Amino acid sequence: MTLTLGIETSCDETSAAVVEGSRVCSLIVASQARLHAHWGGVVPEVASRQHLEALVPCVEAALGEAGVHMRDIGLVAVTSGPGLIGSLMVGVSFAKALAFARGLPCVGVNHLVGHLYSAFLDRDPVFPLVCLVVSGGHTELWRVDGHGAVQVLGRTLDDAAGEALDKVARALGLGYPGGPALEHLATTGAERRCPLPRVRTSNPLDFSFSGLKTAALERVGQATAADVAAGFQAAVVDQLVRRAVAAARSEGVERIALVGGVAANGPLRTALAAAARSHGIEVWAAAARYTGDNAAMIAAAGTFAHAAHGADPLTLMADALARP
Ligand code: KG4
Ligand code: ZN
């Protein structure tokens, strides 16, 4: 089978990986989070310059860790969008130049579709399924019937779940990125001391976190930080779990994939698995090491896309607003 070199530079992680099908041979992730923490969020211009410095060392390390040389690689897969345009351009330009110089096929991968494949790493993809993509920039529910066959069932009408968690965490003085710190703080709080409203949307599979976020921010100073964290996390998890299970039931599928940075959240993983199980639905959550942005998921998605549709032309462009 072909070895695929994957490249991911859409936000604040520079990552390179080598995969064979969906088996991960190596994965290198250079996170810029500490750099951006100083400003409380990702600074796009700083991010693209950092990708430029980190990318070649990451690719060399990924080849080294896999014990292969560039001549062993048969395909280059790169995140082409959505994401920060300057950051995407670093990865796409690099991937195209490398593919051209080596006479290799190159394939652009949608970042969110990439996240889907994080649930398939080191195991064989199975369809159909409902996928809950829950990250810092996106919250979407899909029906997926095969490689490249994605149908959007619902998406957030305002903030992404991760974005809302980050904003509440910031108000609680937890720094950036706030999701993991908020999860940790919530373990010492109690949801019942800071109950927050449940949200309705006219399409019952759409999401909305902005009103919930405002309600949580209003409780800061009234309830303890730990109780606000617990109450807000519970409300976010409840909304995600209810919709994902409702989608799987109405679509009549037996599997839910849980992917994206917020999929690292312990209470979300536990609650979704329990709710799904009570309806005979199985959850394929991305392994914790693959929930954040990484090039292994991009390489796996690219391998299957290339097998189905062939390579992209070298006119491939970064697209900040790409949709699945
Ligand atoms: O997928 P990702 O790494 O980047 C994007 O494509 O956005 O997701 C990052 C998001 C951030 O909002 C971060 O706070 C959140 O994932 N996150 C978490 C946890 N770990 C990361 N949210 C809740 N609980 C966690 N343990
Ligand atoms: Zn992501």
PDB file of all heavy atoms in Angstrom, residues 11 13 111 115 134-138 162-163 165-166 177-180 183 233 260-262 264-266 291-293, ligand 1:
ATOM      1  N   CYS A  11      -4.483  26.044  11.558  1.00  0.00           N
ATOM      2  CA  CYS A  11      -4.700  26.967  12.687  1.00  0.00           C
ATOM      3  C   CYS A  11      -3.415  27.163  13.475  1.00  0.00           C
ATOM      4  O   CYS A  11      -2.473  27.757  12.955  1.00  0.00           O
ATOM      5  CB  CYS A  11      -5.849  26.465  13.550  1.00  0.00           C
ATOM      6  SG  CYS A  11      -6.348  27.661  14.801  1.00  0.00           S
ATOM      7  N   GLU A  13      -1.543  24.564  15.016  1.00  0.00           N
ATOM      8  CA  GLU A  13      -0.682  23.386  15.133  1.00  0.00           C
ATOM      9  C   GLU A  13       0.003  23.149  13.791  1.00  0.00           C
ATOM     10  O   GLU A  13      -0.674  23.065  12.774  1.00  0.00           O
ATOM     11  CB  GLU A  13      -1.487  22.134  15.480  1.00  0.00           C
ATOM     12  CG  GLU A  13      -1.447  21.767  16.953  1.00  0.00           C
ATOM     13  CD  GLU A  13      -2.575  22.406  17.732  1.00  0.00           C
ATOM     14  OE1 GLU A  13      -3.672  22.543  17.177  1.00  0.00           O
ATOM     15  OE2 GLU A  13      -2.329  22.790  18.890  1.00  0.00           O
ATOM     16  N   HIS A 111     -10.507  20.316   6.168  1.00  0.00           N
ATOM     17  CA  HIS A 111     -10.064  20.102   7.548  1.00  0.00           C
ATOM     18  C   HIS A 111     -11.094  19.335   8.388  1.00  0.00           C
ATOM     19  O   HIS A 111     -10.728  18.467   9.198  1.00  0.00           O
ATOM     20  CB  HIS A 111      -9.764  21.459   8.190  1.00  0.00           C
ATOM     21  CG  HIS A 111      -9.309  21.385   9.606  1.00  0.00           C
ATOM     22  ND1 HIS A 111      -8.037  21.001   9.963  1.00  0.00           N
ATOM     23  CD2 HIS A 111      -9.969  21.608  10.771  1.00  0.00           C
ATOM     24  CE1 HIS A 111      -7.932  21.006  11.284  1.00  0.00           C
ATOM     25  NE2 HIS A 111      -9.084  21.375  11.800  1.00  0.00           N
ATOM     26  N   HIS A 115     -10.949  15.722  10.294  1.00  0.00           N
ATOM     27  CA  HIS A 115     -11.311  15.334  11.671  1.00  0.00           C
ATOM     28  C   HIS A 115     -12.106  14.026  11.689  1.00  0.00           C
ATOM     29  O   HIS A 115     -11.895  13.179  12.555  1.00  0.00           O
ATOM     30  CB  HIS A 115     -12.117  16.442  12.363  1.00  0.00           C
ATOM     31  CG  HIS A 115     -11.263  17.468  13.049  1.00  0.00           C
ATOM     32  ND1 HIS A 115     -10.444  17.150  14.116  1.00  0.00           N
ATOM     33  CD2 HIS A 115     -11.089  18.799  12.829  1.00  0.00           C
ATOM     34  CE1 HIS A 115      -9.806  18.240  14.526  1.00  0.00           C
ATOM     35  NE2 HIS A 115     -10.173  19.264  13.761  1.00  0.00           N
ATOM     36  N   VAL A 134     -16.760  18.593  16.610  1.00  0.00           N
ATOM     37  CA  VAL A 134     -16.905  19.622  17.637  1.00  0.00           C
ATOM     38  C   VAL A 134     -15.520  20.171  17.992  1.00  0.00           C
ATOM     39  O   VAL A 134     -14.715  19.510  18.622  1.00  0.00           O
ATOM     40  CB  VAL A 134     -17.727  19.057  18.836  1.00  0.00           C
ATOM     41  CG1 VAL A 134     -17.081  17.865  19.474  1.00  0.00           C
ATOM     42  CG2 VAL A 134     -18.072  20.094  19.840  1.00  0.00           C
ATOM     43  N   SER A 135     -15.254  21.383  17.445  1.00  0.00           N
ATOM     44  CA  SER A 135     -13.898  21.917  17.606  1.00  0.00           C
ATOM     45  C   SER A 135     -13.970  23.374  18.034  1.00  0.00           C
ATOM     46  O   SER A 135     -15.017  23.880  18.428  1.00  0.00           O
ATOM     47  CB  SER A 135     -13.137  21.779  16.288  1.00  0.00           C
ATOM     48  OG  SER A 135     -13.596  22.731  15.360  1.00  0.00           O
ATOM     49  N   GLY A 136     -12.818  24.056  17.945  1.00  0.00           N
ATOM     50  CA  GLY A 136     -12.768  25.461  18.346  1.00  0.00           C
ATOM     51  C   GLY A 136     -13.466  26.366  17.346  1.00  0.00           C
ATOM     52  O   GLY A 136     -13.988  27.422  17.693  1.00  0.00           O
ATOM     53  N   GLY A 137     -13.489  25.943  16.094  1.00  0.00           N
ATOM     54  CA  GLY A 137     -14.053  26.786  15.042  1.00  0.00           C
ATOM     55  C   GLY A 137     -15.370  26.272  14.486  1.00  0.00           C
ATOM     56  O   GLY A 137     -16.088  27.016  13.811  1.00  0.00           O
ATOM     57  N   HIS A 138     -15.724  25.008  14.740  1.00  0.00           N
ATOM     58  CA  HIS A 138     -16.898  24.408  14.103  1.00  0.00           C
ATOM     59  C   HIS A 138     -17.640  23.469  15.037  1.00  0.00           C
ATOM     60  O   HIS A 138     -17.022  22.806  15.873  1.00  0.00           O
ATOM     61  CB  HIS A 138     -16.491  23.619  12.846  1.00  0.00           C
ATOM     62  CG  HIS A 138     -15.834  24.490  11.829  1.00  0.00           C
ATOM     63  ND1 HIS A 138     -14.486  24.746  11.855  1.00  0.00           N
ATOM     64  CD2 HIS A 138     -16.335  25.203  10.785  1.00  0.00           C
ATOM     65  CE1 HIS A 138     -14.188  25.573  10.878  1.00  0.00           C
ATOM     66  NE2 HIS A 138     -15.279  25.874  10.200  1.00  0.00           N
ATOM     67  N   GLY A 162     -16.332  24.806  21.168  1.00  0.00           N
ATOM     68  CA  GLY A 162     -14.986  25.073  21.705  1.00  0.00           C
ATOM     69  C   GLY A 162     -14.751  26.555  21.938  1.00  0.00           C
ATOM     70  O   GLY A 162     -14.156  26.964  22.940  1.00  0.00           O
ATOM     71  N   GLU A 163     -15.249  27.349  20.993  1.00  0.00           N
ATOM     72  CA  GLU A 163     -15.117  28.802  21.095  1.00  0.00           C
ATOM     73  C   GLU A 163     -15.851  29.299  22.343  1.00  0.00           C
ATOM     74  O   GLU A 163     -15.319  30.129  23.101  1.00  0.00           O
ATOM     75  CB  GLU A 163     -15.755  29.373  19.820  1.00  0.00           C
ATOM     76  CG  GLU A 163     -15.735  30.849  19.640  1.00  0.00           C
ATOM     77  CD  GLU A 163     -16.494  31.246  18.348  1.00  0.00           C
ATOM     78  OE1 GLU A 163     -17.073  30.375  17.663  1.00  0.00           O
ATOM     79  OE2 GLU A 163     -16.497  32.451  18.051  1.00  0.00           O
ATOM     80  N   LEU A 165     -16.612  27.530  25.046  1.00  0.00           N
ATOM     81  CA  LEU A 165     -15.877  27.032  26.221  1.00  0.00           C
ATOM     82  C   LEU A 165     -14.653  27.915  26.474  1.00  0.00           C
ATOM     83  O   LEU A 165     -14.353  28.272  27.617  1.00  0.00           O
ATOM     84  CB  LEU A 165     -15.429  25.582  25.995  1.00  0.00           C
ATOM     85  CG  LEU A 165     -16.530  24.511  26.094  1.00  0.00           C
ATOM     86  CD1 LEU A 165     -16.076  23.216  25.456  1.00  0.00           C
ATOM     87  CD2 LEU A 165     -16.909  24.269  27.557  1.00  0.00           C
ATOM     88  N   ASP A 166     -13.954  28.285  25.401  1.00  0.00           N
ATOM     89  CA  ASP A 166     -12.757  29.129  25.543  1.00  0.00           C
ATOM     90  C   ASP A 166     -13.117  30.505  26.112  1.00  0.00           C
ATOM     91  O   ASP A 166     -12.390  31.052  26.943  1.00  0.00           O
ATOM     92  CB  ASP A 166     -12.052  29.293  24.196  1.00  0.00           C
ATOM     93  CG  ASP A 166     -11.341  28.015  23.748  1.00  0.00           C
ATOM     94  OD1 ASP A 166     -11.118  27.116  24.598  1.00  0.00           O
ATOM     95  OD2 ASP A 166     -11.005  27.910  22.540  1.00  0.00           O
ATOM     96  N   PRO A 177      -5.575  27.633  25.527  1.00  0.00           N
ATOM     97  CA  PRO A 177      -6.976  27.349  25.243  1.00  0.00           C
ATOM     98  C   PRO A 177      -7.686  26.879  26.505  1.00  0.00           C
ATOM     99  O   PRO A 177      -7.111  26.171  27.316  1.00  0.00           O
ATOM    100  CB  PRO A 177      -6.900  26.231  24.202  1.00  0.00           C
ATOM    101  CG  PRO A 177      -5.597  25.548  24.483  1.00  0.00           C
ATOM    102  CD  PRO A 177      -4.669  26.576  25.072  1.00  0.00           C
ATOM    103  N   GLY A 178      -8.928  27.300  26.664  1.00  0.00           N
ATOM    104  CA  GLY A 178      -9.583  27.145  27.952  1.00  0.00           C
ATOM    105  C   GLY A 178     -10.284  25.830  28.190  1.00  0.00           C
ATOM    106  O   GLY A 178     -10.568  25.472  29.333  1.00  0.00           O
ATOM    107  N   GLY A 179     -10.608  25.095  27.114  1.00  0.00           N
ATOM    108  CA  GLY A 179     -11.387  23.863  27.245  1.00  0.00           C
ATOM    109  C   GLY A 179     -10.838  22.888  28.285  1.00  0.00           C
ATOM    110  O   GLY A 179     -11.559  22.496  29.221  1.00  0.00           O
ATOM    111  N   PRO A 180      -9.562  22.488  28.154  1.00  0.00           N
ATOM    112  CA  PRO A 180      -9.014  21.511  29.113  1.00  0.00           C
ATOM    113  C   PRO A 180      -9.005  22.048  30.542  1.00  0.00           C
ATOM    114  O   PRO A 180      -9.330  21.319  31.483  1.00  0.00           O
ATOM    115  CB  PRO A 180      -7.585  21.287  28.608  1.00  0.00           C
ATOM    116  CG  PRO A 180      -7.607  21.694  27.165  1.00  0.00           C
ATOM    117  CD  PRO A 180      -8.630  22.784  27.059  1.00  0.00           C
ATOM    118  N   GLU A 183     -12.517  21.976  31.947  1.00  0.00           N
ATOM    119  CA  GLU A 183     -12.885  20.595  32.323  1.00  0.00           C
ATOM    120  C   GLU A 183     -12.299  20.252  33.689  1.00  0.00           C
ATOM    121  O   GLU A 183     -12.969  19.674  34.550  1.00  0.00           O
ATOM    122  CB  GLU A 183     -12.383  19.591  31.274  1.00  0.00           C
ATOM    123  CG  GLU A 183     -12.700  18.154  31.674  1.00  0.00           C
ATOM    124  CD  GLU A 183     -12.189  17.096  30.705  1.00  0.00           C
ATOM    125  OE1 GLU A 183     -11.688  17.443  29.613  1.00  0.00           O
ATOM    126  OE2 GLU A 183     -12.296  15.910  31.056  1.00  0.00           O
ATOM    127  N   GLN A 233     -20.264  23.531  31.380  1.00  0.00           N
ATOM    128  CA  GLN A 233     -19.832  22.305  30.696  1.00  0.00           C
ATOM    129  C   GLN A 233     -20.994  21.322  30.558  1.00  0.00           C
ATOM    130  O   GLN A 233     -21.215  20.728  29.495  1.00  0.00           O
ATOM    131  CB  GLN A 233     -18.681  21.656  31.458  1.00  0.00           C
ATOM    132  CG  GLN A 233     -18.237  20.329  30.863  1.00  0.00           C
ATOM    133  CD  GLN A 233     -17.073  19.742  31.642  1.00  0.00           C
ATOM    134  OE1 GLN A 233     -15.952  19.739  31.174  1.00  0.00           O
ATOM    135  NE2 GLN A 233     -17.337  19.253  32.835  1.00  0.00           N
ATOM    136  N   GLY A 260     -12.864  16.045  16.786  1.00  0.00           N
ATOM    137  CA  GLY A 260     -12.563  17.466  16.956  1.00  0.00           C
ATOM    138  C   GLY A 260     -11.986  17.722  18.340  1.00  0.00           C
ATOM    139  O   GLY A 260     -12.094  16.879  19.234  1.00  0.00           O
ATOM    140  N   GLY A 261     -11.388  18.894  18.524  1.00  0.00           N
ATOM    141  CA  GLY A 261     -10.688  19.204  19.773  1.00  0.00           C
ATOM    142  C   GLY A 261     -11.527  18.984  21.024  1.00  0.00           C
ATOM    143  O   GLY A 261     -11.040  18.450  22.026  1.00  0.00           O
ATOM    144  N   VAL A 262     -12.803  19.352  20.981  1.00  0.00           N
ATOM    145  CA  VAL A 262     -13.667  19.229  22.167  1.00  0.00           C
ATOM    146  C   VAL A 262     -13.986  17.753  22.474  1.00  0.00           C
ATOM    147  O   VAL A 262     -14.372  17.413  23.592  1.00  0.00           O
ATOM    148  CB  VAL A 262     -14.960  20.070  21.994  1.00  0.00           C
ATOM    149  CG1 VAL A 262     -15.854  19.985  23.214  1.00  0.00           C
ATOM    150  CG2 VAL A 262     -14.608  21.532  21.710  1.00  0.00           C
ATOM    151  N   ALA A 264     -12.007  15.668  23.159  1.00  0.00           N
ATOM    152  CA  ALA A 264     -11.096  15.241  24.236  1.00  0.00           C
ATOM    153  C   ALA A 264     -11.792  15.323  25.596  1.00  0.00           C
ATOM    154  O   ALA A 264     -11.309  14.755  26.582  1.00  0.00           O
ATOM    155  CB  ALA A 264      -9.841  16.131  24.242  1.00  0.00           C
ATOM    156  N   ASN A 265     -12.915  16.034  25.658  1.00  0.00           N
ATOM    157  CA  ASN A 265     -13.597  16.279  26.942  1.00  0.00           C
ATOM    158  C   ASN A 265     -14.167  14.980  27.543  1.00  0.00           C
ATOM    159  O   ASN A 265     -15.035  14.332  26.941  1.00  0.00           O
ATOM    160  CB  ASN A 265     -14.707  17.313  26.701  1.00  0.00           C
ATOM    161  CG  ASN A 265     -15.384  17.744  27.988  1.00  0.00           C
ATOM    162  OD1 ASN A 265     -16.369  17.163  28.398  1.00  0.00           O
ATOM    163  ND2 ASN A 265     -14.832  18.753  28.632  1.00  0.00           N
ATOM    164  N   GLY A 266     -13.716  14.646  28.736  1.00  0.00           N
ATOM    165  CA  GLY A 266     -14.113  13.386  29.389  1.00  0.00           C
ATOM    166  C   GLY A 266     -15.611  13.258  29.604  1.00  0.00           C
ATOM    167  O   GLY A 266     -16.225  12.262  29.196  1.00  0.00           O
ATOM    168  N   THR A 291      -7.612  13.833  18.819  1.00  0.00           N
ATOM    169  CA  THR A 291      -8.771  14.742  18.795  1.00  0.00           C
ATOM    170  C   THR A 291      -8.376  16.133  18.304  1.00  0.00           C
ATOM    171  O   THR A 291      -9.139  16.771  17.582  1.00  0.00           O
ATOM    172  CB  THR A 291      -9.434  14.862  20.187  1.00  0.00           C
ATOM    173  OG1 THR A 291      -8.424  15.197  21.131  1.00  0.00           O
ATOM    174  CG2 THR A 291     -10.126  13.577  20.586  1.00  0.00           C
ATOM    175  N   GLY A 292      -7.204  16.615  18.698  1.00  0.00           N
ATOM    176  CA  GLY A 292      -6.759  17.945  18.273  1.00  0.00           C
ATOM    177  C   GLY A 292      -6.280  17.910  16.827  1.00  0.00           C
ATOM    178  O   GLY A 292      -6.228  16.855  16.178  1.00  0.00           O
ATOM    179  N   ASP A 293      -5.939  19.077  16.301  1.00  0.00           N
ATOM    180  CA  ASP A 293      -5.496  19.156  14.909  1.00  0.00           C
ATOM    181  C   ASP A 293      -4.212  18.354  14.711  1.00  0.00           C
ATOM    182  O   ASP A 293      -3.246  18.526  15.455  1.00  0.00           O
ATOM    183  CB  ASP A 293      -5.272  20.619  14.529  1.00  0.00           C
ATOM    184  CG  ASP A 293      -6.577  21.375  14.451  1.00  0.00           C
ATOM    185  OD1 ASP A 293      -7.638  20.718  14.416  1.00  0.00           O
ATOM    186  OD2 ASP A 293      -6.533  22.616  14.414  1.00  0.00           O
TER     187      ASP A 293
HETATM  188  O1  KG4 B   1      -9.962  20.762  16.689  1.00  0.00           O
HETATM  189  P1  KG4 B   1      -9.164  21.753  17.468  1.00  0.00           P
HETATM  190  O2  KG4 B   1      -7.826  21.335  18.010  1.00  0.00           O
HETATM  191  O3  KG4 B   1      -8.922  23.053  16.613  1.00  0.00           O
HETATM  192  C1  KG4 B   1      -9.879  23.545  15.730  1.00  0.00           C
HETATM  193  O4  KG4 B   1      -9.951  23.058  14.577  1.00  0.00           O
HETATM  194  O5  KG4 B   1     -10.646  24.438  16.196  1.00  0.00           O
HETATM  195  O6  KG4 B   1     -10.119  22.254  18.682  1.00  0.00           O
HETATM  196  C2  KG4 B   1      -9.647  23.177  19.647  1.00  0.00           C
HETATM  197  C3  KG4 B   1     -10.754  23.397  20.684  1.00  0.00           C
HETATM  198  C4  KG4 B   1     -10.487  24.551  21.631  1.00  0.00           C
HETATM  199  O7  KG4 B   1     -11.642  25.357  21.710  1.00  0.00           O
HETATM  200  C5  KG4 B   1     -10.212  23.853  22.970  1.00  0.00           C
HETATM  201  O8  KG4 B   1     -10.562  24.624  24.105  1.00  0.00           O
HETATM  202  C6  KG4 B   1     -11.097  22.633  22.844  1.00  0.00           C
HETATM  203  O9  KG4 B   1     -10.919  22.223  21.489  1.00  0.00           O
HETATM  204  N1  KG4 B   1     -10.715  21.555  23.778  1.00  0.00           N
HETATM  205  C7  KG4 B   1     -11.491  21.117  24.797  1.00  0.00           C
HETATM  206  C8  KG4 B   1     -10.745  20.113  25.465  1.00  0.00           C
HETATM  207  N2  KG4 B   1      -9.542  19.985  24.831  1.00  0.00           N
HETATM  208  C9  KG4 B   1      -9.546  20.876  23.791  1.00  0.00           C
HETATM  209  N3  KG4 B   1     -12.725  21.464  25.189  1.00  0.00           N
HETATM  210  C10 KG4 B   1     -13.238  20.827  26.261  1.00  0.00           C
HETATM  211  N4  KG4 B   1     -12.588  19.880  26.963  1.00  0.00           N
HETATM  212  C11 KG4 B   1     -11.338  19.486  26.611  1.00  0.00           C
HETATM  213  N5  KG4 B   1     -10.701  18.546  27.312  1.00  0.00           N
END
